[in-house]
Amino acid sequence: MELVATENQTMIAQMVRDFGAQHIKPRMMEWDESQEFPKEVFHKLGELGLMGVLVPQEYGGAGFGYVEYVTAIAELSKIDGSIGLSMAAHNSLCTGHILQHASEEQKHKYLPKLASGEWIGAWGLTEPNTGSDAGNMRTVAIEDGDHYVLNGAKNFITHGKTGNVAVVIARTGEVGDSRAMTAFIIERGTPGFAAGRKEDKLGMRASETTELIFTDCRVPKENVIGKVGDGFVQALKVLDGGRISIAALSLGIAQGAYEAALQYSKERHQFNQPISNFQGISFKLADMATEIEAASLLTYRAADMKDRGLNVNLESAMAKLYASEVSVRVANEGVQIFGGYGYTKDYPAEKYYRDAKLCTIGEGTSEIQKLVIARAILK
């Protein structure tokens, strides 16, 4: 195994750090407080190629692989998990679904706009009453001539209001049939397609999360991705890659929380010495560093396997499970090391703490990851 960062990884990491210092850090707490989605930041990320990291150059993307993609998400998330989350959702879900499963005509129509950051993408699978139980979705698409008519709602959708285009999975057959759901590309402005309530969230507050509502929404058949009935199967394949992106998001938040705590422990003095001298603190830091390293290895292994075209169902679930749980533990210990100051917004520890929790929930809860892992190892 080659564990040394490549030239591309080093270049991307430095580019993201420089970008974050100029365009994210000065306003990230303002965005967090107001729950403002900074759309202009993502247009700028598009100019750097980070909104189409995995998209081949022929469709206007950067043409990189998952290893570079993980590096970009982790570096962004060290600065602000909200920005890392939105960048990951745009790349892995909406753009990723079109890249993996759409026709050439659809790819040439949508990928250049998504990869450049001109358009922001959303992806709709989860519904108010069907989270992990996505197979029982209630959003329906009824065939009507050259169109399908959609009725229903999706929730917890990243970029549900701001997104220019969404990939939406709707039921075209019987409830509970995994081969009875179909993926559609729906552009904002389509009659009957609207954003609903915006969620007021604990963390990741600058990453927009809303409902999508469909009321007699007519979508032309040319906007069906792949075959009718393949939508859910496509979604599961998309989520295999998406779990790697959430592992990277988790890794970045954990690294950010750890580095902040490490620096603070060297600067904060009690009893005439830095608190890092005390075993109670140094052992916390040792555990944090070790778990982050293990999470990194799992994440980059899954990314490397994905780049080599291997099945990553098991490895992506392991990486997502472990990295997300590590992120929560590290962020928690970070607050503890900061003490009372960790509970205030004057220091970064509380934001890492709030942001980290979503990583154990989004794109499949920790419990679902364990189910995926158990099924794989018990075959």
Side-chain angles (χ1 to χ4, degrees), residues 69-114:
Y69 179 43
V70 163
T71 300
I73 295 173
E75 288 294 336
L76 271 177
S77 305
K78 281 171 63 175
I79 302 165
D80 186 348
S82 296
I83 306 300
L85 173 62
S86 276
M87 181 268 205
H90 171 93
N91 276 276
S92 288
L93 300 180
C94 178
T95 305
H97 198 136
I98 293 172
L99 178 62
Q100 292 177 51
H101 300 289
S103 67
E104 283 299 312
E105 183 179 355
Q106 290 168 335
K107 290 179 184 179
H108 282 287
K109 181 177 181 180
Y110 292 106
L111 289 180
K113 292 180 179 180
L114 290 165

Side-chain angles (χ1 to χ4, degrees), residues 49 61 74 80 90 115-116 132-133 135 144 148 175 202 204-205 218 265 271 274 290 305 324-325:
D80 186 348
H90 171 93
S116 68
S132 299
D133 186 19
D144 182 20
Y148 278 89
V175 174
L202 168 71
M204 304 289 198
R205 289 167 61 84
R218 295 180 63 82
S265 73
F271 305 100
T290 302
M305 290 179 64
S324 64
E325 295 291 342

